[in-house]
């Protein structure tokens, strides 16, 4: 999976007429080995210890390119931070977000997916994409 995403990103970069740089490769490796929901700041701090020459702006621009290429997805949970998660073809999941500690739990539920299709169909609506985020307090914070 990692290899396919690296190839997809390299192809995207070439098609845009951009150079494949060592810094982008380092950021890509770090992103692909990171947790599922990482902010620009978190990724930058993770990179900085071993790669002090990589600046925040470079991380920011590179994550934007990841999203544009389709290997990452930008998500916002209402706390003012954009996070990035790995995007996998054909995979869909929703999120539970703790409003106290910020924990994010991914889940899949076929009943919810089916119900969404039924509601859309009843209104003559065709779903192209959706996201479901449930906000509350996680078990640890309760």
């Amino acid at each position: 999976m990692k290899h396919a995403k690296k190839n997809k990103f390299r192809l995207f970069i070439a098609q845009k007429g951009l150079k494949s740089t060592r810094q982008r490769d380092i950021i890509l490796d770090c992103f692909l080995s990171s947790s599922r929901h990482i902010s620009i700041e978190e990724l930058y701090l993770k990179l900085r210890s071993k790669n002090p020459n990589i600046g925040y702006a470079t991380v920011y621009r590179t994550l934007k390119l990841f999203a544009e290429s389709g290997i990452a997805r930008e998500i916002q949970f209402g706390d003012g931070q954009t996070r990035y998660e790995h995007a996998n073809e054909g995979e869909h999941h929703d999120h539970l977000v703790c409003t106290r500690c910020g924990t994010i739990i991914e889940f899949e539920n076929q009943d919810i997916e089916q119900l969404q299709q039924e509601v859309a169909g009843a209104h003559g609506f065709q779903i192209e994409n959706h996201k479901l985020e449930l906000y509350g307090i996680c078990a640890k914070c309760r």
Side-chain angles (χ1 to χ4, degrees):
M1 188 67 88
K2 262 188 191 183
H3 188 65
K5 286 184 180 180
K6 284 183 177 186
N7 286 340
K8 183 175 182 177
F9 183 67
R10 287 187 181 124
L11 181 62
F12 171 80
I13 289 294
Q15 288 172 341
K16 288 203 57 115
L18 299 171
K19 292 180 196 169
S20 181
T21 67
R22 179 156 164 63
Q23 286 188 336
R24 283 189 185 131
D25 289 341
I26 291 168
I27 295 168
L28 180 59
D29 286 337
C30 190
F31 173 72
L32 292 176
S33 67
S34 71
S35 65
R36 296 281 297 197
H37 309 96
I38 193 163
S39 70
I40 299 163
E41 180 80 16
E42 290 165 335
L43 186 60
Y44 170 69
L45 292 174
K46 194 173 174 182
L47 284 159
R48 191 174 67 178
S49 60
K50 290 182 184 172
N51 306 280
N53 58 327
I54 296 178
Y56 185 87
T58 302
V59 175
Y60 173 83
R61 286 190 305 268
T62 304
L63 280 170
K64 290 285 188 188
L65 287 172
F66 293 169
E68 204 178 320
S69 74
I71 66 166
R73 186 174 16 260
E74 287 184 350
I75 48 177
Q76 296 187 3
F77 295 116
D79 61 358
Q81 279 201 55
T82 301
R83 289 182 177 78
Y84 293 82
E85 68 178 357
H86 303 191
N88 297 316
E89 288 291 319
E91 176 196 274
H92 175 77
H93 61 265
D94 297 304
H95 300 99
L96 298 168
V97 183
C98 181
T99 55
R100 287 198 185 152
C101 70
T103 294
I104 301 164
I105 302 166
E106 294 179 355
F107 72 93
E108 295 177 37
N109 184 300
Q110 287 307 311
D111 292 338
I112 291 173
E113 298 299 317
Q114 180 61 40
L115 189 55
Q116 289 171 153
Q117 291 298 329
E118 290 173 16
V119 169
H123 294 278
F125 193 84
Q126 180 179 336
I127 298 172
E128 293 178 356
N129 194 4
H130 82 278
K131 64 179 180 174
L132 175 63
E133 297 162 2
L134 302 173
Y135 294 87
I137 301 167
C138 72
K140 199 184 327 181
C141 290
R142 288 187 18 226

